[in-house]
Amino acid sequence: MPKRAHRAATLARRRELSKPQAASLSLALQQRFLDLPEYRAARTLVLYAPIHHEVDTAAVAAAALASGKRLLYPAVVGDDLKFCQVAALTELAAGRYGIPEPQGEGYDPAKADLIVVPGVAFDLCGRRIGYGKGYYDRSLHRLEGSGKLVAFCYDFQLLQEIAGEPHDVTMDLIVTESRVVRVNKHICEGEQR
């Protein structure tokens, strides 16, 4: 199925989630993430501010701030993302596309331990379908395979396989409400040959 069709179908299914369903699934997913050794070891974490029934990140943000972790959020600047530290979620204000964004100096995302990336759909090889603007692809491509890139998605957003393109950034770890997928790049590269 082409990217456009996957994107439309998955967004439609996500819109069907009631607020209580989305909240319950998001909470289960966030707890699964908070239990991971990668999260516990991380000192600097990048999150996204959710929109349109995306997986919520507020519980992770609260836990990170309470435990003294450095917390960053992205802001759109031109055609790229700038990652800025926040001390509280109240520091986020509506930015481009109405997405809550931080203000302030940028922080090199390569120095973050984990970067949680939103998306419309993902597959078992870590390939991602975003919203089509390419901000995360351009900003994080150099960090592929670093073990830092984490996807949050509902189970129905995790597909067996999607068509990837060379410019698409791939994830290292995918967390859903029911499981954690540690992407094995060697197996996935063998599948593509």
Side-chain angles (χ1 to χ4, degrees):
M1 185 183 295
K3 265 188 180 182
R4 186 173 296 171
H6 275 309
R7 185 180 287 121
T10 307
L11 286 173
R13 185 145 180 218
R14 204 170 69 188
R15 280 192 298 272
E16 292 172 0
L17 288 175
S18 68
K19 285 190 178 189
Q21 285 174 315
S24 175
L25 295 173
S26 289
L27 193 56
L29 185 154
Q30 290 177 89
Q31 188 56 58
R32 187 171 299 282
F33 177 71
L34 292 171
D35 290 340
L36 292 176
E38 292 90 343
Y39 168 77
R40 288 193 301 272
R43 291 179 312 224
T44 301
L45 176 68
V46 176
L47 292 178
Y48 62 86
I51 58 168
H52 308 303
H53 286 217
E54 284 178 326
V55 172
D56 195 6
T57 59
V60 172
L65 290 170
S67 64
K69 295 182 190 294
R70 176 180 285 136
L71 184 58
L72 310 172
Y73 280 84
V76 175
V77 178
D79 288 334
D80 293 308
L81 295 177
K82 175 174 87 167
F83 298 87
C84 305
Q85 184 173 348
V86 300
L89 295 184
T90 54
E91 295 177 18
L92 300 175
R96 199 159 168 191
Y97 308 111
I99 301 170
E101 295 182 347
Q103 301 294 313
E105 289 185 39
Y107 186 92
D108 182 359
K111 294 180 180 176
D113 298 299
L114 294 174
I115 302 169
V116 179
V117 179
V120 175
F122 299 88
D123 76 6
L124 296 173
C125 286
R127 290 181 288 258
R128 171 183 173 271
I129 296 176
Y131 292 95
K133 301 289 186 192
Y135 291 106
Y136 279 92
D137 296 324
R138 283 188 297 278
S139 299
L140 300 177
H141 214 303
R142 65 189 169 106
L143 300 178
E144 280 186 298
S146 65
K148 298 174 185 258
L149 302 180
V150 181
F152 277 9
C153 67
Y154 302 113
D155 278 334
F156 66 83
Q157 291 177 272
L158 182 56
L159 309 174
Q160 188 67 34
E161 185 176 0
I162 56 179
E165 297 175 40
H167 65 270
D168 293 337
V169 66
T170 58
M171 303 294 104
D172 299 299
L173 188 67
I174 302 168
V175 183
T176 77
E177 68 271 17
S178 69
R179 65 183 174 158
V180 173
V181 176
R182 295 179 193 292
V183 176
N184 185 326
K185 303 285 185 188
H186 300 296
I187 291 173
C188 291
E189 287 170 3
E191 287 178 358
Q192 293 176 351
R193 288 187 183 143

